[in-house]
Amino acid sequence: MIQKFVVNQVSVNIILSWISSGEIAIPEIQRPFVWDSTQVRDFIDSLYRGYPVGYLIVWQNPNIRDKSGNLTKGKKILIDGQQRVISLMTAILGKEILDRNYKKRRIIIAFNPLEEKFEVQNASIVKDKSWIPDISVLFSQNFKTLDFIKEFSSINNVDEHKILEIIESLKAIINIPIGLIELSSELDIDEVTEIFIRINSKGVPLNQADFAMSKIAVDEKYGGNVLRKAIDYFCFLSVRPNAFEQIKNDKEFSATDYFKRMSWLKNDKGDIYAPSYADMLRVAFTYKFKRGRMQDLVALLSGRDFQTKQYKEEIIEESLIKLREGILDYMNEHNFKKFVMILRSAGFIDSSIMISQNAINFAYILYLTLKERGIHQGIIESLVRKWYVFSVLTSRYSGSPEAQFDFDIRRIEQNNPIEFLENVLKSELSDSFWNITLPQQMDTAALRSPIFHVFLAAQVKMEDKGFLSKDIKVADLIKIKGDIHHIFPREYLKRIGFIDKDEYNQIANLVMAQSEINIAIGNKSPESYFKELLEQCETKRLKYGAIVNKDELFENLRMHCIPFEIFGELSKDYNAFLIERRKLMAKKIKEYFDKL
């Protein structure tokens, strides 16, 4: 049994020297700093007062063989404690950090020796002679302590010895020991994650994409550090296109090919697919390496040879080159826009009805893979649409997504991709699925139900009108975040005994409607307001919406899969209504799927 970790105590000064020498890698340096300024202040204050500040956890990168066959020592990867270490860098060493707006700036901490109090620097502090506006000057090699003490004491009329004692105490925080847990390079990712969870009192699991990003960020030899920036900046721009000028200010990065490749995002207004760095990594890796487990990417970026179990530098180089190709294909304007267009063409026109990020990611993997194989664009579009909807309906990538990713991409690679995909769709979406399984799965009250959102996409695709609307489409209501109406009104159901949310919020009881129609119906019984709808068609006096023709009314109900028996006995039997509507909704989804 190997020794899985060692616990040591190292001084703040040693940690900072490791950073300067590159012995320890801070993967978050290239990404926005998430602590606010007051948290940095409080951290420095805790060090000054001798309070415990927790452990840092590092994972020793494995030693690898370079091209000459010599062993090179791996760096330490900091996997817990990034915010604390970066706080030291900006407050004590005076280095800039990237803030949430991707702007470089310093968090400057001031100190009042008279009150022994820390504060974030502001304009009034700078003017106040009782404050040291920036504590980093105290740790500079050029700082002359005695000269400073003499001047400060004179201005503030205080005892020099007292101030000297306080300043020396402040400067001594670089000698404060901090606990350091070093995890063995022999550990695999799963074990490192488990150790992290058990040590971390918050119980926050480590994302394997974080490990991969850490590996990428610390590689300067083969451009991993720049690739890391490219991934982060692309994700940021996809959410905030107006931040283009901010990123342009990063002169070093704006001179790269990555920046040119993502510049199209500054004019992009699409919002249905805003990827995270984990999404980008997962798609690029699975598509390019034909593997679905992120731990394999971490191993490859460490130089692991899966056959010999050794670590080789050339594997790191090859893996980063391959990953770079995948990332560039991912961020390619034509690829990205074409993929988003395919999703929209399936009726998924708004992020509010986009379900399962894993399903979206694999759909993009599928698009890139089929394109790489030279398959006709028309076939690609149909298969990607169908596979995404199928994945959502069956929750294919919900349970163990990485295992399913791995299985699917390997089968696609090893077989005729069109035959494999069509065979899976045929076997999984049998008649029994459409007629029995799908209606049964609709017996749920989850407003985030994937089935309900696929149903809405089907209505968008079929250009259905909103419930009781003459002209307003479901697509319009989704875009403006229209009302979700209860066909059997919620308050009415409560009055007759259906008091549980799981009862009155059944997805088979929901439709998209204009707010004024929803308000007009209020808490009336279906028996009452459906009768009034028929009267509206006869008298032409508007009460609910603008439909005054029976044929239009029945067509509207058909669009929403509302059985016509709602004008009779079903208006009095909620459970029977749900059963019948589920069947019609399943039938509509199948009709929609067949058209994809």
Side-chain angles (χ1 to χ4, degrees), residues 52-249:
V53 293
Y55 282 86
L56 305 179
I57 306 178
V58 297
W59 181 23
Q60 180 70 48
N61 248 350
N63 296 336
I64 61 170
R65 292 199 178 275
D66 61 22
K67 292 178 181 178
S68 64
N70 298 319
L71 275 177
T72 60
K73 187 178 179 182
K75 293 182 178 181
K76 296 180 176 70
I77 300 290
L78 183 62
I79 64 172
D80 188 32
Q82 290 97 330
Q83 304 303 308
R84 284 168 285 168
V85 171
I86 296 173
S87 294
L88 293 173
M89 290 170 59
T90 190
I92 294 179
L93 296 185
K95 294 184 178 293
E96 292 183 323
I97 52 93
L98 284 175
D99 65 16
R100 288 183 175 87
N101 295 316
Y102 281 76
K103 287 184 177 179
K104 283 187 175 182
R105 70 180 181 93
R106 277 198 57 212
I107 296 177
I108 304 175
I109 304 301
F111 180 66
N112 187 320
L114 306 179
E115 299 178 9
E116 295 187 66
K117 177 182 177 182
F118 292 92
E119 193 51 80
V120 180
Q121 188 194 88
N122 56 47
S124 62
I125 282 176
V126 173
K127 296 176 183 178
D128 191 336
K129 299 299 183 181
S130 65
W131 284 85
I132 300 171
D134 182 358
I135 64 170
S136 70
V137 301
L138 304 179
F139 300 93
S140 167
Q141 291 182 346
N142 299 322
F143 179 70
K144 297 179 179 179
T145 304
L146 295 179
D147 289 347
F148 171 82
I149 297 299
K150 186 175 182 179
E151 181 181 356
F152 184 89
S153 301
S154 174
I155 292 172
N156 292 281
N157 194 27
V158 291
D159 180 64
E160 290 186 16
H161 294 291
K162 176 66 174 176
I163 298 302
L164 175 61
E165 183 180 330
I166 292 171
I167 295 302
E168 290 297 338
S169 294
L170 175 54
K171 292 179 65 178
I173 66 174
I174 63 172
N175 299 318
I176 296 290
I178 293 180
L180 183 74
I181 299 174
E182 296 188 72
L183 305 181
S184 168
S185 62
E186 299 297 319
L187 296 176
D188 61 27
I189 299 170
D190 292 335
E191 283 188 295
V192 173
T193 301
E194 180 62 25
I195 291 170
F196 177 86
I197 293 170
R198 295 190 184 197
I199 293 174
N200 192 316
S201 60
K202 296 177 183 177
V204 179
L206 280 172
N207 188 321
Q208 290 189 2
D210 290 333
F211 283 104
M213 288 292 269
S214 299
K215 296 284 189 181
I216 297 167
V218 301
D219 180 88
E220 297 179 1
K221 189 172 183 179
Y222 303 114
N225 56 328
V226 183
L227 176 61
R228 167 69 181 254
K229 270 192 178 184
I231 295 170
D232 280 322
Y233 282 153
F234 184 91
C235 295
F236 186 55
L237 274 180
S238 68
V239 177
R240 294 184 57 188
N242 58 353
F244 179 78
E245 292 301 320
Q246 294 173 225
I247 294 175
K248 193 176 179 180
N249 289 333

Side-chain angles (χ1 to χ4, degrees), residues 337-351:
K337 286 185 174 180
K338 192 72 176 179
F339 172 64
V340 170
M341 185 196 73
I342 291 172
L343 295 179
R344 287 185 178 279
S345 69
F348 295 92
I349 57 169
D350 190 84
S351 59

